[in-house]
Amino acid sequence: MATDRGRGAERVFVVQKHRASRLHFDFRLQIGDTMKSWAVPKGPSLDPSVRRLAVEVDDHPLSYNDFEGRIESGYGKGTVLLWDRGSLEPASPADRADAALARGYRAGRIDFVLRGERLRGAWRLVRMAGDEERPQWLLSKVDDEHADPELDPVQRYDTSVSSGRTLKEIAGE
Ligand code: MN
């Protein structure tokens, strides 16, 4: 239920691989009742020493989380593949997880834990200085048992977690 925002309500994340004018990964975290969104050109890295540019983009509705397919026109024209999905929690246990995540977002530092099919463990998003229309953040893997400098998830996984298809198959090429 949309009104059930108390402790115990599960928050979600999704990553959509999006081949538009440029290939990027749309990294979306549920904060409150919306999906805060970042476009990550190089995609996530499991190497804790690597920080990836994550450009904040428009919020998306939760109803978009399952989307996979072709965008025929307009902004984002191209093909979308559902690359990962799972649950999201703040890194520190909190009575009100939503409030903790929203506080981190406002402060420009979000420490969170993912339980997805491909991305797991602790992650961090840090907003860089500047107050632009499209704030730039850095996404990084926090060093834990799920970190792995040897495994490049972008190279390793090129299929959809929902349909098993590749971008080319979704595009009908
Ligand atoms: Mn996109």
Side-chain angles (χ1 to χ4, degrees):
M1 292 197 310
T3 53
D4 180 11
R5 310 274 4 118
R7 76 181 73 174
E10 185 176 88
R11 285 144 298 278
V12 298
F13 83 98
V14 298
V15 181
Q16 284 156 318
K17 186 177 181 179
H18 185 186
R19 189 179 65 188
S21 53
R22 286 180 61 189
L23 181 72
H24 59 275
F25 290 73
D26 287 306
F27 198 89
R28 310 190 196 279
L29 305 180
Q30 182 184 356
I31 297 183
D33 290 325
T34 192
M35 299 301 290
K36 289 291 176 191
S37 298
W38 292 262
V40 184
K42 292 185 177 176
S45 170
L46 300 181
D47 182 341
S49 72
V50 171
R51 293 179 296 174
R52 289 276 160 86
L53 175 67
V55 180
E56 189 173 344
V57 295
D58 292 343
D59 294 359
H60 274 54
L62 272 70
S63 59
Y64 193 74
N65 286 350
D66 294 328
F67 178 75
E68 176 169 284
R70 299 197 303 196
I71 300 172
E72 300 295 346
S73 63
Y75 185 75
K77 181 177 187 301
T79 307
V80 175
L81 175 155
L82 183 53
W83 190 81
D84 201 11
R85 61 185 167 190
S87 71
L88 162 73
E89 293 298 328
S92 303
D95 280 351
R96 299 189 60 239
D98 285 325
L101 290 165
R103 204 161 48 237
Y105 172 76
R106 286 194 304 272
R109 178 181 167 139
I110 313 172
D111 289 284
F112 55 98
V113 173
L114 302 179
R115 291 184 188 84
E117 298 184 32
R118 294 169 179 170
L119 303 183
R120 299 188 183 86
W123 293 76
R124 179 173 296 147
L125 270 164
V126 176
R127 191 171 57 221
M128 293 188 278
D131 186 21
E132 300 149 31
E133 190 180 340
R134 289 271 179 259
Q136 298 191 344
W137 300 59
L138 292 172
L139 172 69
S140 60
K141 180 74 193 75
V142 174
D143 200 359
D144 64 10
E145 71 272 27
H146 299 287
D148 187 351
E150 304 300 316
L151 194 165
D152 178 354
V154 170
Q155 295 298 322
R156 171 76 171 271
Y157 306 115
D158 67 350
T159 56
S160 162
V161 292
S162 66
S163 69
R165 296 179 296 175
T166 63
L167 267 177
K168 284 189 170 184
E169 287 169 335
I170 293 166
E173 294 165 359

